[in-house]
Amino acid sequence: MPELYEVMFRRRDVRAEFTGEPVADETLRRVLEAAHSAPSVGMSQPWDFLLIRDLATRQAFYDHVQHERDVFAATLQGEEAERFARIKIDGVLESSLSVVVTYDAARGGPAVLGRHAIADAGLYSVCLAIQNLWLAATAEGLGVGWVSFYREPFLSELLGIPEGVRPLAWLCLGPVSKLQEVPDLERHGWRRRAPLEDFLHFDKW
Amino acid sequence: MPELYEVMFRRRDVRAEFTGEPVADETLRRVLEAAHSAPSVGMSQPWDFLLIRDLATRQAFYDHVQHERDVFAATLQGEEAERFARIKIDGVLESSLSVVVTYDAARGGPAVLGRHAIADAGLYSVCLAIQNLWLAATAEGLGVGWVSFYREPFLSELLGIPEGVRPLAWLCLGPVSKLQEVPDLERHGWRRRAPLEDFLHFDKW
C-alpha cells in the first residue's frame, strides 16, 4: 500500500499510549511545516500554532478538562454512562507537548477571496492544516490526540489568545508506545464505524 | 522526500488544469475511502459524499457561482479588482465530476462524545475528511478544486439536501494536465504565503 494510504489508515486519536519522550526539533518542524502547507481560502493562512510545554499550563488545562468530563458524564445514563466511565479522553499530562491551533478571521481581510458567501470557510482551512499535522505526525512515528472537552473562553484566557482569534484544537503530541489498530471508542463499545456505502449519494441526496 | 510530504507540498487548488477525462471507479473508491477514514468527534462520521456527474446540475451550479463572482467583484476596487478579474475561480464544467461534502449534526447524537462543549467539533471532522480526500486525489494524479462562491441554501435546494444537513464543500475532481508549482493566487499577485515562523507561539500567544 502506498505510504499515504498506510498513514491515513494507521492514524489514531491517541489518549493512553503517549510515552512522554521528547520530540526532536527537526521532527516537530517537519510536522508543523506540513500543517502550514495546507490550502486556505483566499490564501489567508488563518491559523496559528501555540506550542505548549509549560507544565503549569498543561495542568490547568487538564483540570478544566476533568471538570468538563464530569459535565458530559452527567448527561449520560445507564450503560452509556458505564461505557463512558471506561474511556480515557485526554493525554494532556502524559504527552510530550501540546499544539493549540487557532483561527484568526481577520487574517487576509477584509476581502478574503472565496469567503464572502461562506463565513466559515476560514474555519475550514484551519481544519485542513490540522489534518496535515495529524498525518505528518503519524508518518513520523508520533501520536496525536485531539482533546475537545473544554470551553473556548477558558482556553483563550489561559493562553492569552487575543479577541477575534478562536482556539480550534488542543492537540496532544509525542512518541507513543503503539497506535491501537481499532479506535478507542470502538474498542470500548461506544460506537462502531459504518461502511462508506452508507455515506454515498449520486447526483442528488 | 517521503511520499506523504511530497503529496502535501505538490497538492494544489485546481481551476484551469482539469482535462475532463474519466476517473476510474476503483480510483474514485480509494479517494473516497481515504476521506471516510478520517477521524471524527465521538466517531460520529458526520459526513456524506454526493457524487455529481449530471451536466444540468453542474451547469446550474456554475451559473450560480458566476453570479456570486459578480457579487464579490463588486466589493473590490482599483488594482484589487483588476487582479481578481484575471483569476479563474472554478472548474465546475471542465472537471470530470464534483464531490459535494455535507455535515449532519444529528449523526451519532444526541450525546456525541467530545462535542458537548464545542458545537462546531462535528464541522471540524468533516473538514478532516476533505483534506484526506484532497491528498489521496493528489497522490492518484488527480486534481481537486474547492469552489466556495455559493450560498448554502441554493446548493441545498439544488441537490435536495435535507434540513439539518449542511453542505460544506463543492469539490471539482478529475485528471489534470499538470499541477501548478505556485498557487494561482500567488501567481496572479493576489496574496503571498508567509513563512511558518510568523505563525508560531511558545506557551502563550
Side-chain angles (χ1 to χ4, degrees):
Chain A
M1 190 185 297
E3 186 208 3
L4 180 75
Y5 289 122
E6 186 276 321
V7 169
M8 284 180 179
F9 299 142
R10 185 157 52 86
R11 181 210 52 73
R12 282 291 164 271
D13 198 347
V14 175
R15 273 85 178 95
E17 294 79 12
F18 288 111
T19 66
E21 293 165 291
V23 179
D25 286 346
E26 57 271 26
T27 308
L28 183 57
R29 176 77 195 197
R30 284 194 296 271
V31 169
L32 293 169
E33 285 283 8
H36 185 55
S37 75
S40 62
V41 63
M43 200 170 279
S44 54
Q45 302 188 301
W47 46 68
D48 281 86
F49 306 100
L50 290 79
L51 309 182
I52 314 294
R53 289 192 163 97
D54 180 65
L55 288 181
T57 304
R58 287 156 68 184
Q59 183 69 51
F61 182 69
Y62 173 81
D63 293 344
H64 174 71
V65 165
Q66 300 321 301
H67 170 72
E68 287 299 333
R69 180 190 176 106
D70 294 342
V71 169
F72 181 68
T75 68
L76 306 176
Q77 294 184 317
E79 277 187 31
E80 210 174 33
E82 285 169 32
R83 274 196 296 271
F84 181 62
R86 290 193 297 270
I87 296 173
K88 184 169 164 66
I89 59 163
D90 80 280
V92 172
L93 299 180
E94 303 92 334
S95 55
S96 308
L97 76 159
S98 289
V99 181
V100 173
V101 189
T102 60
Y103 167 53
D104 181 355
R107 187 84 47 80
V112 175
L113 195 160
R115 211 186 65 186
H116 81 280
I118 301 174
D120 280 343
L123 211 57
Y124 304 163
S125 303
V126 178
C127 297
L128 304 184
I130 290 170
Q131 182 65 358
N132 267 13
L133 184 155
W134 208 331
L135 295 172
T138 305
E140 297 281 0
L142 306 175
V144 171
W146 186 330
V147 182
S148 57
F149 281 75
Y150 65 86
R151 304 284 165 173
E152 291 180 11
F154 174 89
L155 192 48
S156 292
E157 172 76 21
L158 180 68
L159 303 180
I161 295 171
E163 204 155 333
V165 178
R166 183 176 172 190
L168 242 73
W170 180 295
L171 306 172
C172 300
L173 179 69
V176 289
S177 56
K178 67 169 178 175
L179 292 177
Q180 297 286 348
E181 282 189 32
V182 178
D184 281 10
L185 297 192
E186 205 162 330
R187 284 191 301 125
H188 291 295
W190 180 264
R191 195 172 155 81
R192 297 209 161 280
R193 287 170 290 181
L196 175 61
E197 280 66 27
D198 298 359
F199 303 81
L200 295 182
H201 309 257
F202 300 91
D203 282 321
K204 282 230 170 208
W205 184 277
Chain B
M1 188 185 298
E3 186 208 3
L4 180 75
Y5 289 123
E6 187 275 323
V7 169
M8 284 180 180
F9 298 142
R10 185 156 53 86
R11 181 211 51 76
R12 282 292 165 270
D13 198 348
V14 175
R15 273 85 178 96
E17 294 80 14
F18 289 111
T19 66
E21 294 165 292
V23 179
D25 285 347
E26 58 271 27
T27 308
L28 183 57
R29 176 79 194 195
R30 285 194 298 269
V31 169
L32 293 169
E33 285 284 8
H36 186 56
S37 75
S40 62
V41 64
M43 200 170 278
S44 53
Q45 303 187 301
W47 46 68
D48 280 86
F49 306 100
L50 289 79
L51 310 184
I52 315 293
R53 288 194 164 96
D54 179 64
L55 288 180
T57 304
R58 287 155 69 183
Q59 183 70 50
F61 182 70
Y62 174 80
D63 293 344
H64 174 72
V65 166
Q66 298 322 300
H67 170 72
E68 286 300 332
R69 178 188 179 107
D70 293 342
V71 169
F72 181 67
T75 68
L76 307 176
Q77 295 184 317
E79 277 187 31
E80 211 174 33
E82 285 170 31
R83 275 197 295 272
F84 181 62
R86 290 193 299 269
I87 296 174
K88 184 170 163 65
I89 60 163
D90 80 280
V92 172
L93 299 180
E94 303 92 333
S95 55
S96 309
L97 76 158
S98 289
V99 182
V100 172
V101 189
T102 60
Y103 168 53
D104 182 355
R107 187 84 49 78
V112 176
L113 195 160
R115 212 185 65 183
H116 81 281
I118 300 174
D120 281 343
L123 211 56
Y124 303 163
S125 303
V126 178
C127 297
L128 303 184
I130 290 170
Q131 183 64 359
N132 267 12
L133 183 156
W134 208 330
L135 294 172
T138 305
E140 297 282 0
L142 306 175
V144 171
W146 187 330
V147 182
S148 56
F149 281 74
Y150 65 85
R151 303 286 165 172
E152 291 179 11
F154 174 88
L155 192 49
S156 293
E157 170 76 21
L158 180 68
L159 302 180
I161 296 171
E163 203 155 333
V165 178
R166 184 177 172 190
L168 242 72
W170 180 295
L171 306 172
C172 300
L173 179 69
V176 289
S177 55
K178 66 168 179 176
L179 292 176
Q180 297 286 348
E181 283 190 29
V182 178
D184 281 10
L185 298 192
E186 205 162 330
R187 285 190 301 123
H188 291 296
W190 180 265
R191 198 172 152 81
R192 297 208 162 281
R193 287 170 290 182
L196 176 61
E197 279 67 27
D198 298 0
F199 303 81
L200 296 181
H201 310 257
F202 301 91
D203 283 321
K204 283 231 170 204
W205 182 278

